[in-house]
Amino acid sequence: MFKSRRKTISAWILALTIGMSTSAASSLAADLRLGLSAHVSSLDPHYLNIAPNVAMSAHFFDALVNIDADGKLVPGLATSWRAVDATTWEFTLRKGVKFHDGSDFTAQDVIFSLDRPAALTNSPGPFTAYTKQIIGKKIVDPYTIRLTTAAPYGPMALDVSAIFIVSKKAAEKASTDDFNNGKALIGTGPYKFASFKRGDRIEVVRNDSYWGGKSDWDKVTFRIIANSAPRLAALLSGDVDAIENVPTADLSRLKRNDKFKFEQKISWRTIFWHLDQQGGTSKYVTDKAGKPLAKNPLSDPRVRQAISMAINRKAMVERTMEGLAVPASNIVAPGLVGYNDALKVDAYDPEGAKKLLAEAGYPDGFGLTIHGPNDRYINDEQVVQTVAQFLNRIGIQTKVQTLPLSVYFGRARTGEFSMALLGWGTLAGDFGLRTLVGTPNQTTGWGTWNWGKYSNSAVDKLIASSLGSVDQAKRNDFAKQAAAVALQDHAVIPLHHQYATWAMRKGLKYTARTDEFTFANQFHSE
């Protein structure tokens, strides 16, 4: 199946390279056309916390704190910030900023925006993990706000970098639909709304009054092209000027084409498996005859370890990912806060895995259906198929079901799946652990993406200690300890950290970003 897919993509390349118009590939225009690899489901910046939506929101809105291409915090709508004490953070607001409708950006807009995520009770992926710890908000003067927490809290600046600031006047009575149709889409960002055709394209126009400087582009069209072959074909034919997530099978060939250039960087995104760890039955776990098991084997850490040992990550990175990834032992990429060098990638050991299954009471294995998206991560469908092959070799009779992201996320978040693939990008280990393996708690906002319902009080305590450390060295140490306990328990099963790759026509330049985001205002003409 994989070979035929590669041949299909290669056929697109051959046909379109022959017929491509040189003028279309080399022309410089005031308009920019970008091919995106994932669907944008909503333009409401507080509705669903997934990367495609967040990246698009950044074109219309700003946060108090922004993140640069290397994952470092830089000033946004706040020019500076400081810890007044262990539970109080002060932010100095940027002066002279205007919303798209010409109204002034104020401290009231900040307070409203920090409160709004909790008000969206129907959110399928809430942003509340970034706001729950704030118990007090005070406007000191028109350009100074103070945020207080119930307990010492170190990473406040990183938290607020995830919350876009909206216009209170425009959004106070607005619904998510009002953002999607543009009525409430009033921000301070580099572009203004023009149109949104879900599943097809988003069009924006330049905000000439942007505080960060004018974009090079009068108009930008974001084409949603989730399938690799058509996305690549659009670049080769000149229908778009640049694409993200270049198909792995044809990257080396494209690099030899002097009409295009590339930017590449190891990303913050880790691809891993969530496993249902609740007691009782699990919907997609059966005996080999297809009968549901009374007890869920995935709740046994020996079974989870066996599954991890069954996966040959080196082979998968080299073949399935075609070199565009590195094997993972952590849920954050190397070099980020909380990355634990002492954690090693589980060695490929199918015989050892079989022994662990036998010790756990499953000498003949069991039946399992694993799930993943087929249009979100690099080669995601192939990754799921490859893992299924590895699990079959240790006696776990494995079936595969992959779904479009729009369907997959909704079902996965309810805990329906027994083993589900997820990719997560974060700039800090304690943030990722809090969201992905912290004991789910609606009051604190922990565990909002803990699909497997993992719970470990020791892990929770270490995460809390990390988040509560204003001293960055102590915070890093606690985060590493939390990662060690959670991952040695196989709370989740990391697979790999993927590379982010952009391809563009000659004449354009783009700085590759750790967060994988494609920002139109960061494309420039050479």
Side-chain angles (χ1 to χ4, degrees), residues 9-10 13 232 246-258 260 262 264 321-324 501 503:
I9 294 176
S10 296
I13 291 176
L232 183 59
V246 181
T248 58
D250 296 284
L251 182 59
S252 60
R253 182 187 305 217
L254 274 176
K255 283 184 175 180
R256 295 193 295 269
N257 189 327
D258 61 8
F260 302 99
F262 295 83
Q264 194 172 54
M321 294 299 295
E322 307 205 34
L324 284 185
T501 305

Side-chain angles (χ1 to χ4, degrees), residues 190-517:
Y191 298 98
K192 299 179 181 181
F193 174 82
S195 69
F196 176 31
K197 298 178 181 178
R198 186 178 279 104
D200 180 23
R201 67 188 62 208
I202 300 163
E203 295 176 330
V204 304
V205 294
R206 183 169 59 198
N207 174 16
D208 289 335
S209 300
Y210 182 50
W211 62 266
K214 291 183 181 180
S215 163
D216 289 2
W217 316 105
D218 296 324
K219 177 183 176 182
V220 180
T221 300
F222 300 91
R223 292 273 308 281
I224 309 300
I225 315 176
N227 292 329
S228 295
R231 187 167 66 256
L232 183 59
L235 176 69
L236 293 172
S237 66
D239 286 343
V240 297
D241 301 301
I243 63 171
E244 60 184 12
N245 288 345
V246 181
T248 58
D250 296 284
L251 182 59
S252 60
R253 182 187 305 217
L254 274 176
K255 283 184 175 180
R256 295 193 295 269
N257 189 327
D258 61 8
K259 293 182 175 63
F260 302 99
K261 59 181 293 188
F262 295 83
E263 298 295 341
Q264 194 172 54
K265 195 170 194 174
I266 190 168
S267 85
W268 64 351
R269 187 175 308 283
T270 305
I271 306 298
F272 62 92
W273 290 101
H274 268 305
L275 292 87
D276 179 7
Q277 295 174 48
Q278 300 178 85
T281 61
S282 187
K283 184 174 181 179
Y284 290 97
V285 178
T286 68
D287 63 19
K288 289 192 171 180
K291 181 180 178 181
L293 292 177
K295 181 180 178 182
N296 176 14
L298 302 179
S299 64
D300 190 319
R302 292 170 295 184
V303 173
R304 300 196 297 270
Q305 183 179 358
I307 288 173
S308 184
M309 291 167 61
I311 300 170
N312 188 337
R313 291 168 178 79
K314 183 175 183 292
M316 188 163 62
V317 162
E318 291 175 351
R319 299 170 192 169
T320 308
M321 294 299 295
E322 307 205 34
L324 284 185
V326 293
S329 62
N330 282 246
I331 62 165
V332 291
L336 298 180
V337 174
Y339 183 85
N340 192 329
D341 293 293
L343 290 170
K344 304 303 180 185
V345 175
D346 278 343
Y348 175 54
D349 184 1
E351 294 305 314
K354 291 177 182 178
K355 291 179 182 178
L356 280 173
L357 287 179
E359 289 176 17
Y362 304 96
D364 299 319
F366 52 87
L368 174 66
T369 300
I370 62 177
H371 291 80
N374 56 24
D375 60 358
R376 176 62 189 101
Y377 313 118
I378 299 174
N379 295 351
D380 45 13
E381 185 171 18
Q382 297 97 307
V383 166
V384 179
Q385 294 281 1
T386 300
V387 169
Q389 294 171 20
F390 288 136
L391 297 186
N392 277 317
R393 293 173 189 172
I394 65 167
I396 299 178
Q397 187 173 288
T398 308
K399 298 178 182 177
V400 165
Q401 185 177 13
T402 60
L403 302 162
L405 188 69
S406 57
V407 177
Y408 176 73
F409 266 178
R411 292 176 61 184
R413 282 192 54 77
T414 66
E416 176 183 343
F417 301 142
S418 299
M419 184 166 164
L421 190 74
L422 179 62
W424 193 263
T426 181
L427 295 175
D430 48 11
F431 268 47
L433 291 167
R434 175 182 66 182
T435 303
L436 300 171
V437 302
T439 299
N441 185 317
Q442 289 188 350
T443 301
T444 63
W446 284 38
T448 51
W449 288 77
N450 184 348
W451 292 349
K453 300 299 184 288
Y454 175 81
S455 180
N456 185 324
S457 60
V459 173
D460 290 346
K461 183 177 179 180
L462 288 166
I463 296 171
S465 295
S466 178
L467 294 171
S469 300
V470 176
D471 183 304
Q472 291 303 300
K474 289 182 179 179
R475 178 188 170 200
N476 194 36
D477 185 57
F478 280 124
K480 288 182 177 181
Q481 292 180 54
V485 176
L487 292 169
Q488 287 168 359
D489 198 24
H490 293 89
V492 295
I493 297 179
L495 291 181
H496 54 262
H497 308 295
Q498 67 181 34
Y499 276 89
T501 305
W502 292 262
M504 63 207 75
R505 60 171 171 78
K506 275 290 181 66
L508 287 180
K509 59 181 179 180
Y510 186 72
T511 301
R513 297 183 58 89
T514 296
D515 57 21
E516 296 189 1
F517 291 163

Side-chain angles (χ1 to χ4, degrees), residues 14-36:
L14 181 61
L16 286 165
T17 300
I18 292 171
M20 184 176 63
S21 166
T22 302
S23 60
S26 60
S27 63
L28 296 176
D31 293 353
L32 181 68
R33 302 156 302 164
L34 301 175
L36 302 184

Side-chain angles (χ1 to χ4, degrees), residues 19-88:
M20 184 176 63
S21 166
T22 302
S23 60
S26 60
S27 63
L28 296 176
D31 293 353
L32 181 68
R33 302 156 302 164
L34 301 175
L36 302 184
S37 61
H39 290 277
V40 175
S41 61
S42 175
L43 299 183
D44 184 334
H46 303 143
Y47 179 67
L48 177 57
N49 183 17
I50 58 174
N53 291 10
V54 171
M56 184 53 59
S57 290
H59 292 85
F60 304 112
F61 304 97
D62 292 296
L64 289 177
V65 179
N66 289 338
I67 296 170
D68 70 11
D70 296 318
K72 306 299 182 185
L73 299 179
V74 295
L77 291 178
T79 56
S80 64
W81 52 92
R82 69 186 182 99
V84 176
D85 54 47
T87 60
T88 307

Side-chain angles (χ1 to χ4, degrees), residues 86-240:
T87 60
T88 307
W89 283 85
E90 183 177 277
F91 293 82
T92 301
L93 304 184
R94 190 177 296 277
K95 297 179 181 179
V97 176
K98 300 284 187 180
F99 281 102
H100 295 157
D101 62 359
S103 61
D104 292 328
F105 157 67
T106 70
Q108 292 289 351
D109 298 305
V110 175
I111 302 303
F112 173 78
S113 299
L114 293 174
D115 286 338
R116 188 169 180 267
L120 299 180
T121 55
N122 63 335
S123 169
F127 286 81
T128 49
Y130 306 113
T131 59
K132 286 280 190 179
Q133 64 281 350
I134 303 172
I135 63 167
K137 307 174 187 73
K138 180 181 179 181
I139 298 176
V140 178
D141 61 48
Y143 296 102
T144 308
I145 65 168
R146 285 186 176 177
L147 306 178
T148 58
T149 56
Y153 191 74
M156 179 61 76
L158 188 53
D159 263 352
V160 298
S161 74
I163 304 299
F164 290 108
I165 306 303
V166 302
S167 164
K168 179 180 179 181
K169 181 179 70 173
E172 193 166 23
K173 297 181 180 180
S175 66
T176 291
D177 286 341
D178 289 328
F179 281 88
N180 292 334
N181 64 31
K183 180 180 178 181
L185 206 69
I186 307 298
T188 60
Y191 298 98
K192 299 179 181 181
F193 174 82
S195 69
F196 176 31
K197 298 178 181 178
R198 186 178 279 104
D200 180 23
R201 67 188 62 208
I202 300 163
E203 295 176 330
V204 304
V205 294
R206 183 169 59 198
N207 174 16
D208 289 335
S209 300
Y210 182 50
W211 62 266
K214 291 183 181 180
S215 163
D216 289 2
W217 316 105
D218 296 324
K219 177 183 176 182
V220 180
T221 300
F222 300 91
R223 292 273 308 281
I224 309 300
I225 315 176
N227 292 329
S228 295
R231 187 167 66 256
L232 183 59
L235 176 69
L236 293 172
S237 66
D239 286 343
V240 297

